[in-house]
Amino acid sequence: MSYRAFNNELKSEIKKVYLLYGQESYLLDNAKELLKKRVVTAFPELNYNVIEGEALTVEQLQNACDTFPFGSEKKLVVVRQPSFLTKANKKGDEEGEETEDGEQEVESKAPKDSGELKGYLDALKELPDTCCLLLLYYGNLGKAKKVKDAVSKAGSEFEFKRIDKDDLAKWVKNSFGRFNKKIGFKEMDYFIVLSGYLDKNSEKNLYDLENEINKISAFVGKEEDIAIKHIDAVMPKSLENDIFKLINSCADKRISESLSVLSDLLVQGEEIFAILAMITKQMRTMTSVVELSHKGMDAKAAASRLKVHEFYAKNCLNYGRKIGMQGLIKGLNNCVSAELNVKSGKMDKRLAMEMLIINMFQ
């Protein structure tokens, strides 16, 4: 984990310049505060300077870095979204692109003001020992080779990606712990899946999860243990989770509950075809995961084979085992039949959906 590596480096030395970037803004902000605590030992109003980088000039950067600290060994200058990094992040900037004959076409793709870029690079190379410069970039950064090379000569770069499931579980547990709350493994999995943080195209970050943790902790009040009912009461439901709930209630023949879930989804603006497509997709995935489990694969191996997330595969396996392979095949065939009935005009789409719910596993 980059945050851990960054923290460990700060314990041994403080370099002249750091380039921190990535999707996880929560970790970026925490890394900035961590660096501030290590560098700014006194008079933060004088020794801590934050500059918005969109309109930053070379002269402003040099002046900010050259000013001597007061009552402290070093000062910290933070530049948020530096303009030269924004330019370097655009397609083809700095490195150029290959033409059809394999030659590098650098000139047409280079930054418009290469002299200005050189000025920034020279400033990075000439930083005084009394300054620590932090270049903070929220988002994915391209190659930006020239900038990264300049940083590497006097400092370090770290990319803060969205964290993996193991680190996320630890973070969630510790975050609840700050409110003196405990969360079990089952509830942890449920919270993470419902949050959508680990979904392939998710834009959620740890700030979003922290907000949900704060609300859940406030909701439970003096209770110490976090239960699924607490999570359900506070967190918004995902379509994927609702579809699992609908399929499960169909399998248990709780038809009124299944119809209620369908009604809620329609009220939320979901289309019948989208709901049917999601049901069919989850039925197929559950069938595949259960089939792979019969061949000795666990949820992690099945997730890798099917190119889905492990939490999703684990849910598919749990629900799929409960329904059984024979039931899954019946349900999948009924989903396909419902779709054909609607597309051929044999049945109204709402009626077809309700009939599917009633007879899904029959």
Side-chain angles (χ1 to χ4, degrees), residues 23-71:
Q23 291 180 308
E24 190 43 81
S25 55
Y26 179 94
L27 293 180
L28 285 169
D29 289 341
N30 276 266
K32 177 191 70 175
E33 292 303 313
L34 194 63
L35 184 61
K36 180 182 177 182
K37 288 180 181 178
R38 293 282 287 115
V39 174
V40 183
T41 57
F43 301 102
E45 63 276 12
L46 298 174
N47 297 320
Y48 178 61
N49 191 4
V50 179
I51 305 172
E52 296 300 327
E54 291 299 331
L56 178 70
T57 66
V58 175
E59 184 179 7
Q60 288 173 330
L61 179 62
Q62 290 174 329
N63 289 339
C65 294
D66 289 342
T67 304
F68 282 99
F70 180 81

Side-chain angles (χ1 to χ4, degrees), residues 1 102 119 155 158 164 207 212 253:
M1 185 178 176
F158 293 90
D164 62 26
Y207 277 122
E212 299 299 339
K253 302 189 185 306

Side-chain angles (χ1 to χ4, degrees), residues 144-309:
K145 189 175 184 301
K146 291 181 181 180
V147 176
K148 290 184 177 181
D149 285 346
V151 168
S152 67
K153 292 179 181 178
S156 297
E157 68 168 276
F158 293 90
E159 180 180 7
F160 294 122
K161 300 179 180 179
R162 286 147 49 80
I163 60 179
D164 62 26
K165 62 181 179 65
D166 291 333
D167 284 324
L168 180 60
K170 293 175 185 176
W171 181 87
V172 170
K173 181 180 179 180
N174 291 335
S175 296
F176 275 114
R178 287 198 289 269
F179 293 96
N180 297 317
K181 308 299 180 187
K182 296 179 181 179
I183 184 167
F185 290 112
K186 178 181 177 182
E187 291 76 16
M188 175 84 72
D189 280 0
Y190 187 75
F191 174 84
I192 290 174
V193 170
L194 198 58
S195 74
Y197 181 91
L198 294 173
D199 293 351
K200 184 178 179 180
N201 298 316
S202 174
E203 297 182 356
K204 293 287 185 70
N205 59 40
L206 294 178
Y207 277 122
D208 296 314
L209 269 64
E210 183 182 54
N211 184 48
E212 299 299 339
I213 289 170
N214 292 345
K215 290 191 293 185
I216 293 170
S217 298
F219 177 78
V220 301
K222 295 181 179 179
E223 292 185 53
E224 186 176 288
D225 295 322
I226 302 298
I228 287 178
K229 65 179 182 180
H230 300 140
I231 299 171
D232 276 338
V234 174
M235 290 183 69
K237 307 296 186 298
S238 67
L239 176 58
E240 179 183 288
N241 188 68
D242 282 333
I243 297 299
F244 272 125
K245 184 178 178 181
L246 189 152
I247 292 173
N248 187 51
S249 58
C250 286
D252 290 341
K253 302 189 185 306
R254 290 181 273 115
I255 304 304
S256 60
E257 182 178 329
S258 301
L259 293 173
S260 177
V261 174
L262 173 63
S263 179
D264 288 342
L265 290 172
L266 295 174
V267 168
Q268 292 167 21
E270 299 293 344
E271 293 290 336
I272 288 285
F273 277 119
I275 298 170
L276 179 56
M278 181 65 84
I279 292 173
T280 305
K281 175 187 175 184
Q282 289 195 186
M283 293 294 293
R284 285 195 178 116
T285 306
M286 284 192 284
T287 303
S288 298
V289 171
V290 171
E291 186 177 9
L292 290 173
S293 74
H294 290 163
K295 296 178 180 180
M297 287 191 184
D298 60 10
K300 184 176 182 180
S304 178
R305 170 72 69 87
L306 300 173
K307 301 187 184 306
V308 298
H309 197 274

